[in-house]
Amino acid sequence: MATTNINVRVDSALKQEAEALFSDLGLNMSSAINMFLRSAINHNGIPFEVKRPALNAETKAALDEYEEMKKYPGNYKRYESFDEVLDEVLTDA
């Protein structure tokens, strides 16, 4: 079977972690990538679920607060400039 090269740029730490994992599994990087590609072909797509990471509670709360502020802007203090915000923050500090 003829082979060809694929050049992929990845973070150095990611590569090292993956190589250690594959080594523990008795694989090298080429074998692991070939397994992924064969699995993708067999699944007719990515062989695992691909989705955005779930929001943590703090981020969800911040987004909910943002939506509330957009819905009821009159309930929240507004500033004319960043300097005005900064002055208030430094005064309260």
Side-chain angles (χ1 to χ4, degrees), residues 19-86:
E19 286 175 330
L21 170 66
F22 299 148
S23 178
D24 286 347
L25 296 171
L27 301 168
N28 60 29
M29 186 69 73
S30 290
S31 296
I33 291 172
N34 275 296
M35 290 173 68
F36 168 77
L37 295 175
R38 288 185 191 282
S39 184
I41 291 167
N42 289 337
H43 282 84
N44 200 29
I46 302 293
F48 47 83
E49 186 176 20
V50 178
K51 62 181 184 176
R52 289 185 232 176
L55 301 176
N56 64 31
E58 183 179 4
T59 302
K60 173 122 178 53
L63 290 171
D64 290 345
E65 181 180 13
Y66 170 70
E67 291 300 326
E68 180 76 10
M69 291 171 82
K70 283 192 335 186
K71 195 181 286 185
Y72 305 105
N75 293 345
Y76 299 92
K77 185 171 183 179
R78 300 184 68 83
Y79 298 92
E80 295 297 321
S81 69
F82 179 75
D83 288 335
E84 187 180 343
V85 174
L86 188 58

Side-chain angles (χ1 to χ4, degrees), residues 5-9:
N5 290 327
I6 298 176
N7 295 317
V8 180
R9 300 184 69 73

Side-chain angles (χ1 to χ4, degrees), residues 1-5 34:
M1 173 172 52
T3 62
T4 188
N5 290 327
N34 275 296

